[in-house]
Amino acid sequence: MSVSTGQPVPDFTAIATGDTTVTLSELKGRQVVLFFYPKASTPGCTTEGGDFRDHKEAFEAANTVILGVSRDGLRAQENFKAKQAFNYELISDKEETLCGLFDVIKLKKLYGKEHLGIERSTFLIDAEGNLAREWRGVKVPGHAQEVLEAAQALHAG
């Protein structure tokens, strides 16, 4: 069972960096960007995370919270966040609860070997808790800007 655009996103609680727990229902009234990335501290994920970091003020002006999600453990997420000076929290989804909810685990090929991994994907949840937009198979360049523009348009109504 995965979420569909226009449908309510089931409430979830997840552990995140900064000794925090993220509960979707507690963010009601604000828009939420959930970006799923394959692995902390890898080049593409570092670039993507940095792009969201650099747009954080504009996202906040559009009443939007940014959250990064990967299957990395909390320590790896904390290190990644600190090293890259990310100004938002990262969710550790080792049990793949959120990955499953948003259906981002895909069969991938690396050096001729197949494995299951996170397909780089981003989801924009509106202030009522409904899935407003989704981006799958994301290419990093320009992506954070595109998500920001969607968040701004949604916020403007």
Side-chain angles (χ1 to χ4, degrees), residues 17 35 45 48-54 56 65-68 81 85-90:
T17 51
F35 74 95
C45 301
E48 182 180 29
D51 289 347
F52 278 107
R53 175 195 61 218
D54 298 346
K56 182 164 192 272
V65 178
I66 303 167
L67 295 166
K81 180 185 171 191
F86 292 155
N87 46 11
Y88 51 84
E89 302 307 332
L90 300 177

Side-chain angles (χ1 to χ4, degrees), residues 71-91:
R71 299 185 303 177
D72 294 291
L74 205 51
R75 178 175 289 144
Q77 296 289 50
E78 290 285 7
N79 292 343
F80 188 35
K81 180 185 171 191
K83 189 173 179 198
Q84 302 303 328
F86 292 155
N87 46 11
Y88 51 84
E89 302 307 332
L90 300 177
I91 292 173

Side-chain angles (χ1 to χ4, degrees), residues 43-115:
C45 301
T46 299
T47 301
E48 182 180 29
D51 289 347
F52 278 107
R53 175 195 61 218
D54 298 346
H55 288 82
K56 182 164 192 272
E57 272 183 36
F59 275 106
E60 283 185 344
N63 192 35
T64 305
V65 178
I66 303 167
L67 295 166
V69 185
S70 79
R71 299 185 303 177
D72 294 291
L74 205 51
R75 178 175 289 144
Q77 296 289 50
E78 290 285 7
N79 292 343
F80 188 35
K81 180 185 171 191
K83 189 173 179 198
Q84 302 303 328
F86 292 155
N87 46 11
Y88 51 84
E89 302 307 332
L90 300 177
I91 292 173
S92 169
D93 191 32
K94 283 183 92 134
E95 277 73 51
E96 300 180 3
T97 311
L98 291 181
C99 290
L101 181 64
F102 288 91
D103 190 29
V104 298
I105 301 287
K106 303 291 180 206
L107 193 60
K108 300 168 87 176
K109 261 197 170 122
L110 185 65
Y111 307 120
K113 288 189 170 41
E114 290 188 336
H115 69 284

Side-chain angles (χ1 to χ4, degrees), residues 118-137:
I118 291 180
E119 177 186 49
R120 192 180 306 280
S121 308
T122 301
F123 300 88
L124 176 59
I125 301 168
D126 71 18
E128 300 303 308
N130 299 307
L131 183 60
R133 289 268 320 259
E134 61 179 30
W135 293 263
R136 294 183 180 272

